[in-house]
């Protein structure tokens, strides 16, 4: 069975459960099954990494369906290094203020202090209070706070050098996307950088026919019927549509189709256009 056929079959099952309002129940069962399968493997990882705090598996699962603690560790290391190496072409090696927006259980942001030194300030925010509570207890090198599903954030105007959001817009509505863009424009410094990932390039291969038409005509597809922001609230953005949305207030410094390490989501590097500062 090819990967595309497997994905299409899985999404057909998800469509069935979504239609009848029992997708979250199916996800809960799936989490328990995966957790049991990885129990011994996770025990071994924790014993071999006693100084590395690990999040509860049910919270980890809410971030992309992960349950393996070793993957959480390695993917966080690799993704943070990948992003840190790229961002320095714009912000250099000076002390900076960085926000991981939608940080979840701190998979990536917990590794960022090692890349930017003690003079930089690293922040993480998420709307899931349980994840933030765990991160605040476990990772003192990062300042964590809770945000709402919609803005504002508790940052002053023009205060941040870099904001990145990984696999966040992939779980938000189009209205939320536009509200957050205005907020990012407000809190970034004039020469600050915004890094975001979206699902788009290549995803249409597994769309249902009506979704493929919507993707081409409207510019985005949403698989809803679960709470916005949850793992199974899925949003796919046509890159042409996304570029049109951001073009008024943002310069696109870089776009890499399926360019994000690990997730292979589309990767965007944006900078606020001068003269269009949000108040």
């Amino acid at each position: 069975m090819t990967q595309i056929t497997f994905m299409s079959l899985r999404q057909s099952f998800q469509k069935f459960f979504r239609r009848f309002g029992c997708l979250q129940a199916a996800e809960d069962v799936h989490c328990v099954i995966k957790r049991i399968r990885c129990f011994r493997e996770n025990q071994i990882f924790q014993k071999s990494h006693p100084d590395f705090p690990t999040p509860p598996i049910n919270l980890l699962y809410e971030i992309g369906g992960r349950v393996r603690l070793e993957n959480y560790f390695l993917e966080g290391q690799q993704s943070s290094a990948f992003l840190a190496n790229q961002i320095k072409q714009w912000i250099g090696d000076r002390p900076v203020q960085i926000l991981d927006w939608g940080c979840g259980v701190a998979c990536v942001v917990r590794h960022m202090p090692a890349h930017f030194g003690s003079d930089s300030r690293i922040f993480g925010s998420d709307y899931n209070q349980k994840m933030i509570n765990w991160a605040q207890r476990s990772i003192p090198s990062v300042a964590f706070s809770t945000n709402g599903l919609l803005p504002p954030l508790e940052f002053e105007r023009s205060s941040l050098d870099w904001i990145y959001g990984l696999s966040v817009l992939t779980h938000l509505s189009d209205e939320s996307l536009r509200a957050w863009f205005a907020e990012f424009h407000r809190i970034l410094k004039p020469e600050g950088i915004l890094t975001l990932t979206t699902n788009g390039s290549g995803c249409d291969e597994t769309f249902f026919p009506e979704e493929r038409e919507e993707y081409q005509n409207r510019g985005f597809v949403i698989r809803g019927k679960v709470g916005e922001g949850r793992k199974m609230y899925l949003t796919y953005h046509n890159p042409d549509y996304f570029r049109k949305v951001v073009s008024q207030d943002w310069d696109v410094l870089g776009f890499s189709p399926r360019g994000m390490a690990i997730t292979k989501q589309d990767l965007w590097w944006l900078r606020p256009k001068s003269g269009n500062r949000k108040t």
Side-chain angles (χ1 to χ4, degrees):
M1 182 180 294
T2 66
Q3 183 179 4
I4 291 179
T5 302
F6 173 78
M7 290 177 60
S8 299
L9 181 63
R10 182 180 65 180
Q11 291 174 7
S12 294
F13 279 114
Q14 290 176 354
K15 183 179 183 181
F16 173 84
F17 289 126
R18 196 185 299 272
R19 178 182 178 185
F20 291 99
C22 53
L23 180 59
Q24 190 57 55
E27 280 290 293
D28 292 342
V29 172
H30 191 218
C31 177
V32 171
I33 293 172
K34 293 183 71 173
R35 182 173 187 169
I36 292 172
R37 288 176 176 172
C38 296
F39 178 77
R40 180 58 179 160
E41 179 183 335
N42 285 342
Q43 271 194 325
I44 293 172
F45 177 84
Q46 288 176 312
K47 288 180 179 179
S48 62
H49 297 78
D51 298 325
F52 185 81
T54 55
I57 298 299
N58 64 309
L59 296 183
L60 181 58
Y61 181 79
E62 183 67 16
I63 309 298
R66 297 180 177 92
V67 294
R68 285 185 168 85
L69 295 175
E70 183 176 18
N71 288 354
Y72 166 77
F73 173 72
L74 294 175
E75 290 176 9
Q77 280 190 327
Q78 294 169 18
S79 295
S80 62
F82 170 79
L83 291 171
N85 288 337
Q86 294 208 36
I87 190 62
K88 288 182 179 179
Q89 66 182 295
W90 290 295
I91 65 175
D93 293 319
R94 59 186 173 83
V96 289
Q97 296 202 95
I98 298 168
L99 171 65
D100 183 328
W101 171 67
C103 64
V105 287
C107 177
V108 175
V109 73
R110 68 186 300 165
H111 301 282
M112 283 299 181
H115 296 288
F116 291 94
S118 58
D119 291 334
S120 292
R121 299 188 66 190
I122 314 296
F123 302 92
S125 74
D126 199 276
Y127 93 115
N128 188 308
Q129 186 66 62
K130 292 181 179 179
M131 294 183 183
I132 290 299
N133 289 344
W134 173 82
Q136 288 173 332
R137 293 192 306 268
S138 306
I139 306 168
S141 59
V142 177
F144 292 97
S145 61
T146 306
N147 58 256
L149 193 60
L150 290 172
L153 293 169
E154 296 181 355
F155 293 94
E156 295 181 358
R157 184 179 183 271
S158 302
S159 60
L160 298 175
D161 297 279
W162 180 32
I163 302 171
Y164 65 89
L166 310 177
S167 300
V168 184
L169 295 182
T170 53
H171 305 286
L172 295 180
S173 66
D174 193 58
E175 293 78 11
S176 295
L177 175 151
R178 293 171 184 270
W180 280 110
F181 268 121
E183 177 68 351
F184 297 147
H185 213 291
R186 180 185 72 84
I187 61 178
L188 269 175
K189 294 179 180 179
E191 296 301 312
I193 302 296
L194 174 63
T195 305
L196 297 169
T197 67
T198 57
N199 277 324
S201 300
C203 292
D204 58 333
E205 296 176 351
T206 58
F207 282 160
F208 299 107
E210 66 275 15
E211 291 177 329
R212 188 171 293 110
E213 181 177 355
E214 191 174 23
Y215 182 77
Q216 294 299 329
N217 295 335
R218 189 170 68 162
F220 62 93
V221 169
I222 294 178
R223 293 175 175 172
K225 295 193 175 181
V226 295
E228 184 177 355
R230 296 298 302 273
K231 180 172 75 71
M232 295 308 295
Y233 185 102
L234 301 174
T235 306
Y236 303 84
H237 292 97
N238 186 317
D240 292 336
Y241 171 81
F242 193 83
R243 188 181 292 272
K244 182 179 180 181
V245 168
V246 304
S247 62
Q248 180 176 350
D249 293 321
W250 301 85
D251 291 319
V252 178
L253 303 182
F255 168 63
S256 301
R258 295 176 57 82
M260 180 59 204
I262 309 297
T263 65
K264 300 305 179 185
Q265 293 178 349
D266 291 346
L267 180 62
W268 299 84
W269 299 88
L270 309 173
R271 172 176 284 160
K273 285 187 176 180
S274 59
N276 291 352
R277 303 301 297 170
K278 304 299 180 183
T279 59

